[in-house]
Amino acid sequence: MLRKRLLGALLIAGLALSAAACGNDDAGEDKADGPVTLVINGLPPATEKATHDRFLANVAAFEKANPTIKLDVREGKMDPQTFPAKLAGGQLEDVFYVYFTDPANLIAKRQVADVSKYLKDFPITSQLKPEVLRVFQDDKGGTYGLPYKNYSMGLLYNRDLFTKAGLNPDQPPATWAEVREAAKKITALGNGTVGYGDYSKSNTGGWHFTAELNSLGGEMAVNENGAWKAAFNNEKGKQVLQQLKDMRWTDKTMGQKQLLEWADLLNQMGSGKLGMYVATADNIPTIVNQYKGEYETYGLGPIPDGQGTLGGGEGYMFKAGLSPEKIRAGLKWLTFWFTSADKFADENKWAGETDQPVGLPEPAIYIGAAAEKQAAADKQYANVPQANYAPFVAGMAKIPVKLEPPNAQQVYAVLDVAMQKVLTDANADPAKLLADAETQVNQILQSVK
């Protein structure tokens, strides 16, 4: 997930340079449904046979149910090498995939179509969580796309190591002070075991700094009178860096190897040598499938201190200038599959039959009856040990989810430096690191409108 978000969010700088592919959102007359060809993306590559074939099977089922609509399906999601040029040249797909970091800029530059007036004909959209749908809306409530999935961060941990260290695997640390104490006990197991791991490279350090700051109730950036400014150079920001510095140099619970990026912690967790790190639920199947872990080994708890957690996700938007016929066709497609409470059971059944995980604790994008359908389908077809994630699920309803800051990847790159320093230099000064980062981030945020 992170790798996907990194690719999507890196586009923001490119979008700022691109010309708006603007047009009349209601181009053409408002006609009854007729023959229409809709260009969409999101098709997994053929090398991912199971999901590739499933996508095409859903396309075929949709076209059978909607004989006047033809889907022209394109492979891939958002390619940073081609997206800015496609956007500037008006060559985007009619309905295209985005990450939660992208809609605000696309909406502000009028590069996407307002679909608000058509939503009344698609009742499922009224059951989308307002805070998730808001990602795809402007300040007047106009809607330009629909969410597909979202995530929030918690504490991923090795249950086996907890048991060996005398810790209760059903009760993960609830505060950062408890994380620090648990890390000492896990490290004391020896044999190269690391109590707690963290990132500091390739923008992942700034990403984790943000999540950990949110957990203390802090914010990376705030909007004051229409202008964004850095908000992390304070006691909460210092607490994040000071605790990491203390764990690294005083407690010696973070290991000698530093300058870690995304795959490093997953590899350490899969090897059975890492006790805990901040992560999303989708890390678990990656650890199992790529790094030889076992689902039974891993637990997920709420982010420590729980005053907030970093969240994000993905969805689809509509190219500016689409005709009403294409907008309706796009909404029919999205609510047929991606935003469809009626598809949960079928998709979960298929996933189970193709050895894909069902029942991981990802936040639902729905409220009401749709949320109940999803919960029932997950319970019916779950093939992962859901009890291992019970602490995370219990905390989800209580912990506010905060979205990534504007120009997130540029901001994260700056905070990578602060994370690197405290984890590689015993004499690093958190206060100075944050002051330097604040200056740089404020310069980055000046371009945000």
Side-chain angles (χ1 to χ4, degrees):
M1 181 78 70
L2 171 60
R3 290 174 295 182
K4 294 177 182 176
R5 290 198 316 279
L6 292 178
L7 290 176
L10 283 169
L11 301 173
I12 297 304
L15 296 181
L17 300 174
S18 63
C22 296
N24 183 355
D25 291 345
D26 294 323
E29 296 181 2
D30 207 353
K31 304 174 184 176
D33 289 341
V36 60
T37 296
L38 188 75
V39 183
I40 62 173
N41 68 1
L43 175 65
T47 52
E48 299 175 11
K49 181 173 173 50
T51 53
H52 178 90
D53 290 350
R54 185 62 176 176
F55 194 106
L56 293 180
N58 272 290
V59 167
F62 174 81
E63 290 180 337
K64 183 177 180 180
N66 299 274
T68 62
I69 301 174
K70 171 67 176 176
L71 296 182
D72 180 354
V73 184
R74 307 291 169 85
E75 189 174 290
K77 295 181 178 178
M78 292 186 77
D79 183 347
Q81 301 301 316
T82 61
F83 186 84
K86 288 172 66 176
L87 178 63
Q91 300 302 310
L92 279 179
E93 294 84 3
D94 298 326
V95 178
F96 61 94
Y97 181 101
V98 294
Y99 306 97
F100 276 18
T101 48
D102 303 312
N105 280 277
L106 292 168
I107 293 169
K109 295 178 179 9
R110 297 180 56 80
Q111 293 163 322
V112 283
D114 186 341
V115 303
S116 306
K117 72 177 186 178
Y118 305 96
L119 296 182
K120 66 182 184 297
D121 297 324
F122 301 91
I124 187 62
T125 61
S126 68
Q127 294 189 63
L128 291 167
K129 283 184 176 179
E131 63 269 28
V132 178
L133 185 59
R134 197 171 298 126
V135 174
F136 296 84
Q137 295 178 326
D138 60 21
D139 56 4
K140 298 180 178 62
T143 302
Y144 298 79
L146 297 179
Y148 169 38
K149 290 182 179 179
N150 74 323
Y151 75 89
S152 63
M153 300 185 75
L155 185 71
L156 180 60
Y157 60 99
N158 185 311
R159 292 173 57 87
D160 293 344
L161 290 180
F162 265 54
T163 299
K164 291 177 182 177
L167 300 164
N168 185 343
D170 295 325
Q171 293 182 356
T175 67
W176 285 107
E178 290 179 8
V179 168
R180 186 174 177 182
E181 291 308 309
K184 292 177 183 177
K185 294 180 180 179
I186 293 168
T187 303
L189 294 172
N191 195 29
T193 304
V194 173
Y196 180 79
D198 219 329
Y199 294 128
S200 59
K201 187 179 177 183
S202 301
N203 299 6
T204 57
W207 177 52
H208 266 203
F209 175 87
T210 303
E212 291 157 18
L213 179 70
N214 291 163
S215 76
L216 299 173
E219 301 279 357
M220 281 297 288
V222 294
N223 190 313
E224 294 183 354
N225 300 318
W228 285 92
K229 60 181 291 186
F232 54 79
N233 184 14
N234 50 39
E235 289 307 310
K236 289 183 173 65
K238 292 173 187 173
Q239 182 178 338
V240 172
L241 293 184
Q242 187 63 52
Q243 166 139 321
L244 290 172
K245 181 181 177 182
D246 290 344
M247 292 175 71
R248 169 70 173 94
W249 300 103
T250 302
D251 302 346
K252 298 184 178 5
T253 57
M254 296 187 68
Q256 294 296 317
K257 184 180 179 182
Q258 295 300 326
L259 303 180
L260 304 178
E261 53 189 323
W262 190 79
D264 294 319
L265 292 182
L266 281 75
N267 188 21
Q268 287 184 24
M269 188 63 80
S271 72
K273 296 297 185 182
L274 176 61
M276 303 170 283
Y277 73 102
V278 170
T280 56
D282 68 343
N283 278 208
I284 297 171
T286 304
I287 294 168
V288 171
N289 295 328
Q290 295 186 25
Y291 301 102
K292 301 180 180 179
E294 299 288 342
Y295 279 107
E296 291 72 21
T297 302
Y298 309 111
L300 190 68
I303 198 161
D305 281 306
Q307 296 183 51
T309 185
L310 182 61
E314 53 198 275
Y316 286 84
M317 301 189 80
F318 295 74
K319 183 174 70 173
L322 288 186
S323 68
E325 293 84 1
K326 286 197 171 186
I327 289 174
R328 286 198 194 90
L331 287 169
K332 280 188 176 182
W333 164 241
L334 294 181
T335 56
F336 173 81
W337 186 12
F338 297 108
T339 306
S340 172
D342 294 328
K343 293 286 285 183
F344 288 136
D346 285 346
E347 293 303 306
N348 283 355
K349 182 175 183 292
W350 164 80
E353 291 171 348
T354 54
D355 296 324
Q356 299 189 62
V358 179
L360 287 171
E362 295 180 344
I365 63 172
Y366 301 99
I367 57 176
E372 293 173 4
K373 281 187 177 182
Q374 182 173 25
D378 285 351
K379 183 177 181 180
Q380 180 180 0
Y381 292 101
N383 57 9
V384 295
Q386 290 186 295
N388 289 11
Y389 322 129
F392 178 82
V393 173
M396 278 198 301
K398 307 172 188 175
I399 300 176
V401 176
K402 301 183 179 184
L403 298 180
E404 295 177 283
N407 288 351
Q409 295 305 316
Q410 296 178 58
V411 171
Y412 294 165
V414 172
L415 271 301
D416 267 4
V417 176
M419 296 287 277
Q420 289 170 9
K421 287 289 187 181
V422 297
L423 295 174
T424 61
D425 182 357
N427 297 312
D429 181 355
K432 184 178 187 309
L433 291 169
L434 290 177
D436 292 344
E438 179 184 40
T439 299
Q440 296 177 64
V441 169
N442 278 333
Q443 293 173 345
I444 292 168
L445 294 177
Q446 285 178 0
S447 66
V448 178
K449 302 300 181 184

